[in-house]
Amino acid sequence: MRTHRPGVLRAVDVGTTVTVCGWVAHRRDHGGVIFLDIRDATGLVQVVVSPGSPSFDTAHRVRSEWVLQVEGTVRPRPEGTVNSELPTGEVEVAADLVVVLNESEPPPFPLDDRRDIDEVLRLRHRYLDLRREPMQDHLRARARVNREMRAAMDAQDFVEIETPMLIASTPEGARDFVVPSRLQRGSFYALPQSPQLFKQLLMVGGFDRYYQIARCLRDEDLRADRQFEFMQLDLELTFADQEDVLEATSRAVLAAAEALRPGEVRDVIPRMTWHEAMERYGSDKPDVRFGLELHDVTEVFESTEFRAFAGAEAIKAICVKGGADMPRSRLDALTERAKSLGAVGLVWIRVREHQQIESPVAKFFDEAETIGLLDAVGAETGDLVLIVAGKRSMARSVLGQLRLDLGRPPVGEGGLHFLWVVDFPLFEGVDESGRPISAHHPFTMPHPDDIDRLESDPLSVRSQAYDLVLNGWELGSGSVRIHRPDIQQRVFSLLGIEPEAAQERFGFLLDAFRFGAPPHAGFAVGIDRFVAILEGEENIREVIAFPKTQSGTDPLTGAPSPIDPEQLKELGLRIIEKP
Ligand code: ASP
């Protein structure tokens, strides 16, 4: 059907007779001569149909997105018409024959690289949207990432194994999607939130090193970086500790990053403890592309008279370089933002010459406090200092967010900054009944130095869990797993999972652990987010072929949609309307 693809033609092809196929990207009528830009996945080439050509009438008739087969000869473009922006810009195809393979209705939006097209319209006609260059690029980049990571895993002797989609529930902290069973009326499968339990069973099964490019499903509210279904590079290793997991995962992600953004990554991913990340960045996924770090100034105000600071568990501050001239309206907006994030207020201080400060609360600070503060945050003339006081966790998270609001570059800028965050706490706070909540999942091994405090002071216990962060996005999580039934039992009981309930929900795993479970550990890397960052996109929908909208619908297929009464009956289901 074709001898060449439009995007590959170059000056060396001049004189060659070619047949190319593709869509009409543009059609221009220039005083009798018709120019058609023919596009396929490789790019586009200009086709010229002159008035004498037997196909002239056909060329006259064609419109955008019609599908053509063009026979002709490659020739140099006339002087002055070379397009250096286009890889094929030195040549054109002088058409002898234009065959219409299919017509097209006018597309509902232009298929150039314009960014302002309504997203629902794009998703409704995703097949057209996919013809656009950015989508073509993103999905090819995505395939490359998968290929590189697979190759890295294969090279490290990991075995690719598929795990089932119709399973019993796997706890990852989200709601399950469930599938009703026709054969066992009233029973439901859960779709996997992750292959977690199966990969652990594979370790008991002696597979040593497993990986999978796995689809995971979680019924959570959708955001720019979250879809109901997403892909992970999921991996697990036996006789392995945290070091082994970090090493194996680093190799895979660095290989992919190097392939897409050559020369931008180093060989080793730096590490930071969770505690340090929270103290310095107010976040467990610190964006280390820029400074604006948090400082602890609690001690400076140890004996302060200022009511808002006295007795605060922590006083944290950031220094905005050159920010002293920020207008009052902006400072008021920042204060409102801080309050909406949970702070009682935000103290701002403009630093003027000779360490003079300008602030509504300046009168409450004595000289030693002022100098101590400016020293602690490294403030100089012309800077702005922002302070939040109160509970440590609140002060960190509020300033961590203000830091992002003030300094965060677009995700595609400032290079690629990977970071391992290690030593996460085992639990993240408590639920309404006062029970600890797993920070990762209930199969995470406590830190060996802290395990004795499991019952006496659970919230102080660190875990052997770690996250991978890239440019301030959480790219993945993993942990060393509990392989001993006694420790697993202790964690379950802290989480309020009674032995009978544990047996009912995860009995199969606990049973397996009674038959010589090896120590094991693993990780999962979110592929959608990874590709989005590598491609400089803030929204993962841009790197997914057929994503759902923010409200969880697919404008293309109409999913989710009601099913017919027959099907409901067969499944033994009845719909109860929302009151
Ligand atoms: N199952 C975890 C997740 O999907 C990853 C892991 O612990 O390996 O987040």
Side-chain angles (χ1 to χ4, degrees), residues 342-354:
V344 176
L346 176 72
V347 167
W348 56 260
I349 292 167
R350 293 179 167 135
V351 185
R352 300 300 185 195
E353 271 179 33
H354 310 300

Side-chain angles (χ1 to χ4, degrees), residues 167-171 187 197 443 489 492 497-511:
I167 63 170
S169 179
T170 297
S187 290
L197 303 179
F443 313 106
Q489 202 50 63
F492 278 157
I497 305 175
E498 300 301 331
E500 305 77 55
Q503 195 56 39
E504 195 181 313
R505 285 173 66 190
F506 321 113
F508 61 96
L509 184 71
L510 303 178
D511 287 348

